[in-house]
Amino acid sequence: MAGRILGVRVVAVLAVFQRLSVVVASEAEDSYELLHEDSWCLEAPLLDFGNGGVNPTVLSDAECQAVCTNDPSCGVYMFGYQPTAACFRCATYPKCTEGGWYSDGDVNVYTRIRAVPDTPAWIGNCFVLLAEPMEVAPFPDDAVARMRRYFLDNLNINGTGRMTASPGAVPALRGCCAGGYNWDWVRDGALSLSTLLDLEGWAVSTVGAEAPVTHAVVKQILEAYTNWVSELQRMGGNQTAPDGTLSIAFGEPKWSIADGTPYPGTWCRPQTDGPPLRALTLMKFAGSGLITEAMEKHLWTLITFDLDWLANGTGVAMESCDLWEESRDANHFWNRVVMRAALEQGSRTASQMGDNERALRYQRAWQEFIGDPIQDHMEATADGNFITECPLSDSKEQSADCIKYEKTIDGAVILALVHSGVLGVVKDGAGVAVSDVVATTVLVYNEAFCNLYPVNEQDTSAGVPGVLYGRYLKDEYGGGNPWQLISAALANLMYL
């Protein structure tokens, strides 16, 4: 089944990418290649022809092509119709290495870009395939073991069950925050421990000479984490956030590793993805075969602490900070997806525990309060619908922050599709990774980040496979750059 799903998914993605691949334009008399449709170049200004323009005789693609053919310096020409000005457009360039897409959705309006073969050209979506499958793994065993050691070094600090996001200096913070990233984030801890549970039993968990992820290691770290969650819930359940509206057990994002107290400074609060992620990790631990019956009952108490809060609908509807702790909205795709995943899994786990009342309550909660998160997070393009982090751009529910940061294209969507267990999140909707909407999402994001970062264009021009993703298009943190964790999540999405 896994092989079949992977095959279908990759085919679906490739089918969408192919729409923007370079193809030979059969109608072109001089073997020009069609590079892009509904697009523009930044190499030179457009020249408007027709209706009183500079050259009213250039009114067709063929005539524009002739202009390029007769110009020894021309390697690329662009032709299209501009409806607002009621004129045709024809422009010629030596090359086209930077550009973008129009969003009108009509490939017959605006421009088509054609080029003489082998002309330096703007790649578009940076989707370059390996010439052939790799014969050996990209990392040797000792490198895998070293990465595994770094990972384990950040978990269960001093036996507390807490983890550190980063023990060293973080220059991008520019001195803004005491302690840097050496704090326990609820989100990071839950995701890290979930990954640790996934590693146990895989070949990659023991290759190399150091830091093996064994049954005993996983059990020790997860038991310490369980104790920390119990402490956090017990302490946080009796304290409210600075604004007095929410127990810090549900909305506080980060905690002191040394003494387990909440971060005292100003931060983006609340962050409501912590409880569902925490519950998902503990449910995975409960089903791992690593625990006793008594531990299973204890875990269920901790799990229901978080899921009961979600099921009452308050947390779902609450305005929350996003994954990047910068913008606020009551309907971030990341938050909604992990909440639904937790309630769905919670309903199944409750049935297994014989807690039929909660099984029904959790099921009704995600159906009533969340539904299909994709349906109100889809934007339309000429290539189909893609998934956004914030609600639809024309939605009255969209917050000022979503508009300010332009969260239409956001790497949090890729992370949501991976970390929520996407194949079980939206079984009755369009949210599985074999669907057109996921394939189109990757296409649109590829195009956006391909043209945002020079390193992507340079690698693609050199034939280097892969696309580096960033957080979102207007990201200014550390100057705005690709992020390894999002790029890795994109690769992970291909192999769910």
Side-chain angles (χ1 to χ4, degrees):
M1 177 63 73
R4 183 185 66 79
I5 292 174
L6 171 60
V8 173
R9 180 178 302 107
V10 173
V11 168
V13 173
L14 290 177
V16 176
F17 288 154
Q18 190 176 18
R19 298 185 61 180
L20 289 179
S21 297
V22 175
V23 297
V24 176
S26 59
E27 70 270 26
E29 296 178 0
D30 293 287
S31 299
Y32 285 80
E33 294 179 342
L34 175 63
L35 295 181
H36 305 292
E37 293 185 315
D38 224 18
S39 311
W40 44 267
C41 288
L42 288 179
E43 306 293 337
L46 293 175
L47 303 177
D48 291 341
F49 297 113
N51 296 317
V54 176
N55 190 342
T57 63
V58 181
L59 302 176
S60 70
D61 185 285
E63 293 178 54
C64 188
Q65 183 181 120
V67 173
C68 185
T69 302
N70 294 326
D71 181 355
S73 68
C74 180
V76 179
Y77 79 88
M78 184 171 66
F79 179 81
Y81 182 73
Q82 215 285 359
T84 302
C87 65
F88 291 95
R89 283 182 165 180
C90 177
T92 61
Y93 317 95
K95 60 182 180 178
C96 179
T97 58
E98 187 174 2
W101 276 269
Y102 291 105
S103 58
D104 64 289
D106 186 349
V107 296
N108 296 311
V109 173
Y110 290 114
T111 54
R112 294 184 178 186
I113 302 173
R114 304 182 193 276
V116 176
D118 301 322
T119 299
W122 160 50
I123 301 300
N125 61 30
C126 293
F127 191 71
V128 177
L129 292 172
L130 286 169
E132 56 187 21
M134 299 179 68
E135 295 182 359
V136 297
F139 299 104
D141 288 354
D142 63 335
V144 174
R146 187 161 59 252
M147 288 187 284
R148 205 170 51 227
R149 174 170 59 81
Y150 292 151
F151 176 54
L152 292 177
D153 283 349
N154 282 6
L155 306 180
N156 194 24
I157 306 299
N158 298 324
T160 62
R162 296 184 276 275
M163 60 87 66
T164 178
S166 176
V170 184
L173 285 174
R174 300 171 183 171
C176 80
C177 313
Y181 277 171
N182 196 19
W183 296 82
D184 178 273
W185 262 264
V186 175
R187 175 192 308 110
D188 295 1
L191 291 174
S192 297
L193 273 295
S194 178
T195 299
L196 182 67
L197 284 163
D198 289 337
L199 277 176
E200 202 270 327
W202 284 16
V204 74
S205 67
T206 54
V207 297
E210 59 179 329
V213 176
T214 63
H215 180 97
V217 168
V218 174
K219 187 173 185 293
Q220 179 185 31
I221 294 176
L222 264 294
E223 286 179 349
Y225 175 71
T226 299
N227 292 336
W228 161 229
V229 171
S230 180
E231 178 185 349
L232 183 156
Q233 291 181 350
R234 182 175 61 253
M235 174 179 56
N238 296 320
Q239 296 185 47
T240 57
D243 61 6
T245 60
L246 180 67
S247 163
I248 61 172
F250 301 122
E252 181 61 34
K254 64 177 188 174
W255 301 70
S256 167
I257 294 172
D259 59 13
T261 56
Y263 180 70
T266 301
W267 207 254
C268 194
R269 298 181 176 95
Q271 295 185 29
T272 58
D273 60 340
L277 291 170
R278 193 163 55 203
L280 282 166
T281 296
L282 292 180
M283 284 187 282
K284 184 182 288 188
F285 185 33
S288 66
L290 297 172
I291 63 173
T292 64
E293 183 176 349
M295 173 65 84
E296 182 181 53
K297 293 179 179 178
H298 177 54
L299 284 173
W300 186 235
T301 299
L302 304 180
I303 293 164
T304 56
F305 180 92
D306 288 328
L307 294 185
D308 286 353
W309 175 72
L310 279 179
N312 69 28
T314 302
V316 175
M318 180 177 296
E319 186 176 78
S320 171
C321 296
D322 72 341
L323 180 65
W324 312 123
E325 304 182 313
E326 291 177 344
S327 63
R328 300 173 187 271
D329 196 276
N331 192 8
H332 288 124
F333 182 73
W334 162 267
N335 294 60
R336 290 300 179 95
V337 166
V338 297
M339 287 175 176
R340 170 164 171 171
L343 287 168
E344 273 203 279
Q345 182 58 46
S347 180
R348 291 190 288 268
T349 303
S351 295
Q352 296 166 3
M353 295 293 295
D355 195 339
N356 296 326
E357 186 276 329
R358 279 194 170 94
L360 181 59
R361 177 152 43 103
Y362 294 164
Q363 181 180 14
R364 286 176 174 171
W366 73 254
Q367 290 174 340
E368 177 180 353
F369 301 130
I370 301 174
D372 181 353
I374 290 180
Q375 292 307 308
D376 58 350
H377 290 83
M378 284 197 299
E379 288 279 357
T381 70
D383 296 295
N385 296 325
F386 70 93
I387 305 171
T388 72
E389 169 66 353
C390 286
L392 297 176
S393 60
D394 59 353
S395 171
K396 295 180 181 179
E397 298 177 3
Q398 193 173 51
S399 68
D401 276 356
C402 280
I403 297 172
K404 173 184 176 182
Y405 289 102
E406 292 185 7
K407 293 302 189 82
T408 302
I409 294 177
D410 192 314
V413 169
I414 305 301
L415 293 167
L417 295 174
V418 171
H419 288 298
S420 65
V422 66
L423 295 178
V425 171
V426 193
K427 291 181 287 188
D428 56 350
V432 295
V434 294
S435 70
D436 288 344
V437 70
V438 175
T440 304
T441 299
V442 175
L443 167 65
V444 171
Y445 283 39
N446 273 10
E447 293 168 357
F449 289 117
C450 172
N451 294 285
L452 183 63
Y453 302 126
V455 65
N456 278 330
E457 295 181 352
Q458 294 163 9
D459 282 354
T460 301
S461 297
V464 178
V467 187
L468 299 176
Y469 277 22
R471 299 196 301 173
Y472 51 92
L473 300 187
K474 294 189 70 174
D475 186 15
E476 297 180 355
Y477 181 78
N481 293 284
W483 281 48
Q484 292 185 25
L485 67 91
I486 308 173
S487 303
L490 172 64
N492 196 358
L493 180 62
M494 300 292 185
Y495 294 94
L496 277 177

